[in-house]
């Protein structure tokens, strides 16, 4: 018998693996959190599935999402990215990643850790929700509103409340696996 998963998962093995092995699992690594937040920003107006299929290529062309390298991207690099069909070729989104790399560095200097700073919006530990249906899962919460407002105040782009909540779900700050899903509260 096949395991019951959240209703949003399709039959693509890539998506199944993402759901089963990554989504909702607590993530505390600064660099991985930066990558995930940037990819969530790339999702704006699109589906996560679209971004997930392009994730490996994003990692390749954005130097493993290393902020120390990204902050030095020049116009030639931006133009090369704009010509790359393996990513979402949106200048505002590309520029946002470059901008956000500098803000990431600033947050690390000021707060000591990007992870600690972001996890503070979830109270420092995963919030376990008890949704029985995908229709109950909110798009935003007061915590994602606070995270979005704080990140925007620091200068980050493409960090609206919906993006921040999707990020909180994906990074395990909240467990929004529905109660019938085998990953719920694991």
């Amino acid at each position: 018998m096949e395991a019951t998963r959240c209703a949003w998962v399709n039959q693509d093995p890539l998506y199944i693996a993402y759901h089963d092995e990554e989504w909702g699992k607590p993530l505390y690594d600064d660099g991985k959190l930066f990558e995930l937040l940037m990819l969530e920003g790339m999702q704006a107006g699109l589906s996560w599935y679209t971004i997930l299929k392009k994730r490996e290529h994003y990692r390749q062309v954005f130097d493993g999402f290393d902020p120390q390298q990204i902050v030095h991207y020049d116009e030639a690099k931006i133009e090369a990215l704009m010509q790359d069909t393996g990513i979402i070729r949106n200048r505002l989104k590309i520029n946002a990643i470059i901008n956000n790399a500098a803000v990431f560095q600033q947050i690390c200097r000021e707060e000591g850790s990007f992870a600690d700073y972001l996890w503070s919006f979830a109270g420092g530990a995963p919030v376990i929700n008890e949704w029985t249906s995908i229709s109950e899962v909110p798009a935003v919460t007061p915590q994602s509103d606070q995270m979005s407002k704080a990140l925007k105040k620091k200068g980050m782009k493409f960090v609206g409340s919906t993006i921040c909540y999707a990020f909180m779900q994906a990074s395990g700050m909240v467990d929004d696996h529905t109660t019938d899903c085998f990953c719920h509260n694991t």
Side-chain angles (χ1 to χ4, degrees):
M1 188 169 122
E2 186 160 334
T4 301
R5 292 182 174 84
C6 294
W8 54 264
V9 182
N10 66 27
Q11 293 304 307
D12 184 330
L14 177 69
Y15 215 31
I16 291 171
Y18 173 73
H19 170 273
D20 293 0
E21 299 164 20
E22 293 182 59
W23 193 77
K25 303 279 191 265
L27 190 59
Y28 299 99
D29 178 271
D30 282 359
K32 287 182 168 62
L33 287 166
F34 175 73
E35 173 187 313
L36 183 59
L37 185 58
M38 295 308 94
L39 289 172
E40 290 289 354
M42 297 305 98
Q43 176 189 330
L46 304 166
S47 73
W48 177 249
Y49 182 56
T50 299
I51 301 304
L52 184 63
K53 290 185 292 184
K54 297 176 180 289
R55 179 169 66 173
E56 286 307 318
H57 192 70
Y58 265 102
R59 287 174 173 160
Q60 186 178 18
V61 300
F62 279 95
D63 296 298
F65 285 95
D66 179 355
Q68 282 68 28
Q69 293 187 55
I70 294 172
V71 294
H72 298 293
Y73 285 6
D74 58 13
E75 200 54 45
K77 175 67 173 182
I78 293 169
E79 282 309 313
L81 291 167
M82 285 296 296
Q83 301 306 312
D84 192 321
T85 58
I87 65 169
I88 306 304
R89 295 178 293 170
N90 177 309
R91 189 175 295 275
L92 290 175
K93 290 180 178 183
I94 291 168
N95 285 337
I97 291 176
I98 299 165
N99 171 79
N100 292 350
V103 177
F104 166 88
Q105 291 178 321
Q106 172 195 332
I107 291 171
C108 289
R109 281 191 302 273
E110 293 172 0
E111 307 291 337
S113 161
F114 193 59
D116 289 348
Y117 177 71
L118 293 176
W119 273 90
S120 71
F121 295 99
V127 174
I128 312 297
N129 289 315
E130 299 292 330
W131 312 120
T132 58
S133 164
I134 194 170
S135 64
E136 295 176 334
V137 180
V140 298
T141 63
Q143 293 79 11
S144 69
D145 290 345
Q146 292 167 358
M147 179 187 283
S148 173
K149 185 176 179 182
L151 289 171
K152 286 178 180 178
K153 187 173 182 182
K154 290 198 177 279
M156 279 207 171
K157 312 278 188 223
F158 283 92
V159 288
S161 188
T162 302
I163 289 169
C164 285
Y165 194 66
F167 167 77
M168 293 175 85
Q169 292 172 309
S171 65
M173 293 178 191
V174 295
D175 178 349
D176 273 353
H177 287 284
T178 50
T179 54
D180 63 337
C181 176
F182 83 98
C183 291
H184 178 70
N185 199 15
T186 57

